Amino acid sequence: MYSAKETAKMTGLSTATLRYYEKEKLLPQIARNSQKYRQYTDEDIEWIKMVQCMRMANIPIHSIKEYVALLLLGGETLEQRFTMVQNHMEDIKKQMTNLQNAFELTQKKLSFYKKLLEDSSFKNMSYSEEWKLFNHGEN
């Protein structure tokens, strides 16, 4: 069994986030000791990591709640959960494509600025001149 502080350290979350996850019913009921302090099990830690993973994939809280509720109902919801995960997979693929595009543009912009910094004649360039050079110049 782990305290809230130990669990926070293990998961990289704050104790406030752990309480929020519990309040929002993203976690199963967390056991309490005789002093009413939360006591997390290894299974609770794995559950928290699953929720973290879903949050990192930008899955909305309401969708995680729905998934957790279905999960707690057991095998009869397997098809619904499969469909949810399948849909989330498509969303993640779109996010990955968007992030890849953003990464490539950022690399291009960084390279552009590096070239400008090597030539002091660009120090007084206006934003519109920079914009034109970046979008239509040799990069």
Side-chain angles (χ1 to χ4, degrees):
M1 297 288 240
Y2 307 98
S3 69
K5 188 175 182 178
E6 291 169 325
T7 301
K9 188 174 181 178
M10 290 169 70
T11 61
L13 297 173
S14 68
T15 55
T17 300
L18 292 172
R19 287 190 304 272
Y20 173 76
Y21 281 5
E22 186 180 2
K23 183 183 89 137
E24 291 298 316
K25 303 204 183 313
L26 301 178
L27 306 175
Q29 188 68 40
I30 302 300
R32 306 272 180 145
N33 66 16
S34 59
Q35 293 89 15
K36 306 283 187 211
Y37 292 118
R38 290 170 179 83
Q39 294 287 285
Y40 295 86
T41 64
D42 287 328
E43 186 175 307
D44 295 330
I45 304 286
E46 290 307 310
W47 195 288
I48 291 164
K49 289 178 180 178
M50 175 193 68
V51 172
Q52 275 183 292
C53 181
M54 295 171 88
R55 288 300 299 138
M56 283 189 277
N58 291 322
I59 296 173
I61 294 289
H62 70 86
S63 293
I64 298 173
K65 279 183 179 181
E66 182 182 351
Y67 177 80
V68 166
L70 292 170
L71 187 59
L72 291 172
L73 290 173
E76 67 188 45
T77 65
L78 196 55
E79 191 173 322
Q80 290 166 280
R81 287 182 279 138
F82 175 82
T83 301
M84 284 185 82
V85 171
Q86 193 173 38
N87 291 338
H88 292 313
M89 180 65 87
E90 292 305 314
D91 291 341
I92 290 168
K93 285 179 186 176
K94 289 176 191 170
Q95 289 175 48
M96 289 173 62
T97 298
N98 291 339
L99 281 173
Q100 185 62 41
N101 291 339
F103 182 78
E104 289 169 8
L105 177 62
T106 303
Q107 277 187 312
K108 184 178 174 184
K109 194 71 165 177
L110 195 57
S111 175
F112 173 74
Y113 282 136
K114 187 175 181 180
K115 287 178 186 175
L116 293 185
L117 287 169
E118 291 170 357
D119 186 342
S120 62
S121 66
F122 292 110
K123 295 276 186 200
N124 296 318
M125 180 172 40
S126 71
Y127 77 89
S128 62
E129 291 170 325
E130 179 185 321
W131 186 257
K132 287 175 188 169
L133 185 60
F134 179 73
N135 288 305
H136 304 294
E138 291 181 20
N139 297 322

